[in-house]
Amino acid sequence: ELSENPALKFKDYDLVKRGLEPATVRRWFQKHHGMTFQAFQRMHKLNSAFKKLSSGEHVTQTAFDSGYESLSGFNESFKNICPW
């Protein structure tokens, strides 16, 4: 689902609705990816946005399509991972 729509943000309730135990998901992501599920979601969203920008899509459209509510939030997220 995240691959189809990177703007999604799963909360514990959403995981339970899908038959998944949130604590199990958290432990699995920590063990296999070295990060929390929330961090994985954020990185997936940023990676998807980066790919769109690299292919020439406009920043504003990419930000909103990626689930950001503002350009400043989008820019801040990129600054946190890309300090250059």
Side-chain angles (χ1 to χ4, degrees), residues 4 17 19-20 26 32-33 52 60 63 77 80:
E4 293 173 19
K17 280 182 18 181
L20 300 168
R26 283 191 290 273
H32 294 280
H33 295 289
K52 287 181 177 186
T60 303
S77 292
N80 287 336

Side-chain angles (χ1 to χ4, degrees), residues 9-20 22 26:
K9 184 174 182 184
F10 290 99
K11 299 185 188 286
D12 285 355
Y13 173 78
D14 301 311
L15 296 174
V16 170
K17 280 182 18 181
R18 287 162 175 81
L20 300 168
R26 283 191 290 273

Side-chain angles (χ1 to χ4, degrees), residues 42-78:
R42 282 190 304 272
M43 292 304 296
H44 182 75
K45 183 187 331 187
L46 283 170
N47 188 43
S48 175
F50 183 76
K51 287 177 184 177
K52 287 181 177 186
L53 292 173
S54 295
S55 70
E57 292 196 31
H58 293 280
V59 173
T60 303
Q61 191 63 44
T62 297
F64 293 122
D65 286 351
S66 299
Y68 288 90
E69 296 179 6
S70 69
L71 285 177
S72 61
F74 182 68
N75 290 334
E76 189 64 30
S77 292
F78 265 92

